[in-house]
Amino acid sequence: MAARLRERVLEQIVRLIQMARKAGLLVAGSTAVEEACRMRQTALLLWAADAPPSRRDLPRGWDGSQRQLPFRQPELGALVGWALCKVIAIRDRSLAGALIRECDRLAALASSPESGDKSQGRDIRNPKSEMRNNIK
């Protein structure tokens, strides 16, 4: 049951990424993503599973939402029409919100007692952003 639900969530993530690409709301590749972030045209960063972001990989000044996808660089690249892709950015807030919900659902499924895999769909928010959001 959990495996089937996980597959449905993965399919939904793929559909949302493809929809963003077709609508021109997706930016792929480190350089293009950094430029989009600099121009404040980014609502969400999505990282390949085998390319977790480090502080030096994050675009300067980025303190927004980000998630790690369960896809490796070749799989993410295939979704956006490239051989390899480390990071993509979503420009639309509502589409970003839908992707965040699906990634969080996947993370909840991965951390459930029925699943032994805890690495999929991790929330990789910027610690500074979390601290800023908790201060009122």
Side-chain angles (χ1 to χ4, degrees):
M1 177 83 159
R4 195 165 56 188
L5 184 55
R6 183 180 183 281
E7 287 301 316
R8 287 185 181 167
V9 172
L10 284 171
E11 289 171 4
Q12 183 64 16
I13 290 171
V14 168
R15 278 193 292 269
L16 289 167
I17 290 171
Q18 289 173 337
M19 185 184 343
R21 192 186 97 219
K22 289 177 183 176
L25 300 172
L26 183 140
V27 179
S30 299
T31 305
V33 166
E34 187 172 340
E35 183 66 26
C37 288
R38 193 174 312 124
M39 295 172 56
R40 306 227 187 266
Q41 296 177 342
T42 305
L44 172 67
L45 296 182
L46 296 169
W47 297 87
D50 57 345
S54 67
R55 281 260 184 242
R56 63 183 170 78
D57 290 333
L58 288 173
R60 262 187 212 168
W62 176 256
D63 63 351
S65 296
Q66 55 183 328
R67 297 291 187 275
Q68 189 164 9
L69 293 170
F71 310 116
R72 297 174 53 84
Q73 289 184 46
E75 298 163 334
L76 185 57
L79 282 174
V80 299
W82 290 17
L84 295 173
C85 185
K86 179 179 180 177
V87 61
I88 61 174
I90 304 297
R91 291 182 173 183
D92 181 71
R93 288 186 191 272
S94 61
L95 193 55
L99 275 159
I100 288 170
R101 281 190 300 278
E102 294 304 318
C103 287
D104 290 349
R105 282 179 61 197
L106 188 61
L109 287 171
S111 65
S112 71
E114 297 173 16
S115 173
D117 183 13
K118 298 183 188 309
S119 65
Q120 305 298 315
R122 290 184 301 174
D123 180 356
I124 51 172
R125 293 183 185 123
N126 184 342
K128 282 185 176 179
S129 174
E130 298 237 347
M131 288 181 359
R132 196 173 305 133
N133 291 338
N134 291 333
I135 299 173
K136 297 201 180 200

